[in-house]
Amino acid sequence: MMPIRLRDFIEDDGGLIFAVSAYDNTERAGCVLRYVPDPAGERVDPEGRRYTKLDFEPAYEYIREHRPEYLDHLHRVPADRIARVYKPEERMDWIASRDPRVRRLLSLFDLPAGKVGCTGSRLIGVENAASDIDLVVYGGAWFSAQAQLARLVQTGTLPAMSEEMWRKVYEKRVPEISFDTFVLHEARKWNRGEFGDTYFDLLYTRDYDALASAPAGRGREIGRGRIEALVTDASQSFDSPAVYEVEHETVSRVISFTHTYSGQALAGETIEAVGVLEEHGDTQWLIVGTTREARGEYIVSKTLLEQV
């Protein structure tokens, strides 16, 4: 079986379903609880099993009460407790066969087989009419999808994101930056779009042969910090976590664990970032997204803001 990787879903031996949120999953899968079996649940899978979807805080409360052995910075499910792995790329045809919207959206892109999937509720078949479309694109194919999305909008094949849809995304993300600043940064990322009455994401995930080089492990926290720094490498800025190599007196990396600040700056731009400083060997990393809402934490491109 292929390794468990970011954006897969797993089911434990008690029927709990988790979204994989890390790359280091050999002994224990790093994930977050999303769906709990519930006879009265509103989500129903193709086999008739009912689930309740849990938001971030209720998920942690559930784990603390029912699976304390999983509790960590993420939920860590031991390999011998994993009963099933759901892989977006392997279930893509099944997902598209169930939902004509997904099928139509995919038909607009030219992507290699096995390099695109769909995660989230559709991956396990519990989507509803309000569910977004979370497309996962792997490795270098993601950058092709990003360029194709830009062309699709520029040629009018897909509409530009409406202000109403931007408001919906902004209110879902609740970032620590203004709406105008949020849209200014988001509009140039080409990693989300509007399709019918919903929006879709293009989510980056590493190819299998690049998993080992993903950042892992936590450093010693040394306090909160605010820095201005020059971005020297943003090639992994759409990953999860997003990585920005920077030129700064003490900080070598800015890491974002929240999707809001993925792709937030380009190499050669100066950023302002606020987060938690961690010690990693003889250097420091600034971590953004230390809580689900990333309260008081953000990344903005000062270079981009000065161009307005």
Side-chain angles (χ1 to χ4, degrees), residues 106 108-113 115-116 135-154 158 189-191 200 202-205 207 235 238:
L106 275 177
L108 300 177
F109 290 87
D110 181 15
L111 297 169
K115 294 295 186 180
V116 61
L135 294 181
V136 186
V137 189
Y138 298 95
W142 186 89
F143 297 97
S144 173
Q146 180 191 42
Q148 289 179 50
L149 175 56
R151 287 196 297 271
L152 289 167
V153 173
Q154 290 161 0
L158 282 174
K189 295 179 184 180
W190 299 110
N191 67 341
F200 63 92
L202 296 178
L203 301 169
Y204 174 91
T205 295
D207 276 324
S235 60
F238 285 97

Side-chain angles (χ1 to χ4, degrees), residues 190-294:
W190 299 110
N191 67 341
R192 70 173 86 241
E194 187 167 343
F195 190 67
D197 58 355
T198 189
Y199 76 87
F200 63 92
D201 283 312
L202 296 178
L203 301 169
Y204 174 91
T205 295
R206 291 177 179 232
D207 276 324
Y208 284 112
D209 60 6
L211 301 186
S213 62
R218 300 184 67 190
R220 183 177 69 88
E221 289 189 11
I222 55 178
R224 295 185 63 80
R226 174 194 170 278
I227 68 167
E228 290 186 13
L230 176 69
V231 177
T232 58
D233 186 346
S235 60
Q236 296 298 327
S237 66
F238 285 97
D239 204 353
S240 183
V243 181
Y244 303 87
E245 306 287 349
V246 298
E247 185 179 291
H248 185 267
E249 310 89 77
T250 56
V251 175
S252 62
R253 277 180 169 177
V254 176
I255 306 282
S256 175
F257 284 93
T258 172
H259 184 60
T260 304
Y261 302 116
S262 67
Q264 195 75 345
L266 307 176
E269 294 185 347
T270 297
I271 59 171
E272 177 183 316
V274 177
V276 173
L277 290 166
E278 287 185 355
E279 196 173 62
H280 288 263
D282 59 357
T283 189
Q284 296 176 16
W285 296 358
L286 183 74
I287 311 299
V288 177
T290 58
T291 63
R292 174 69 172 179
E293 297 82 10

Side-chain angles (χ1 to χ4, degrees), residues 54-71:
L54 297 183
D55 290 331
F56 189 79
E57 290 302 329
Y60 271 80
E61 291 172 8
Y62 187 98
I63 291 297
R64 276 191 288 269
E65 181 176 354
H66 299 282
R67 296 286 196 281
E69 66 273 23
Y70 292 179
L71 200 58

Side-chain angles (χ1 to χ4, degrees), residues 180-196:
D180 288 344
T181 298
F182 174 78
V183 173
L184 179 66
H185 286 77
E186 290 293 310
R188 69 172 182 170
K189 295 179 184 180
W190 299 110
N191 67 341
R192 70 173 86 241
E194 187 167 343
F195 190 67

Side-chain angles (χ1 to χ4, degrees), residues 69-147:
E69 66 273 23
Y70 292 179
L71 200 58
D72 198 347
H73 181 59
L74 293 172
H75 304 154
R76 290 282 181 180
V77 181
D80 61 4
R81 298 289 301 274
I82 298 172
R84 185 173 181 181
V85 179
Y86 300 83
K87 289 192 164 290
E89 74 278 20
E90 294 177 2
R91 290 171 69 84
M92 189 69 257
D93 289 345
W94 178 80
I95 294 165
S97 71
R98 287 169 45 84
D99 191 331
R101 290 185 302 170
V102 173
R103 193 162 58 248
R104 290 196 302 270
L105 179 59
L106 275 177
S107 72
L108 300 177
F109 290 87
D110 181 15
L111 297 169
K115 294 295 186 180
V116 61
C118 193
T119 191
S121 58
R122 285 180 171 78
L123 179 56
I124 59 171
V126 296
E127 71 276 7
N128 60 25
S131 296
D132 304 323
I133 301 174
D134 298 315
L135 294 181
V136 186
V137 189
Y138 298 95
W142 186 89
F143 297 97
S144 173
Q146 180 191 42

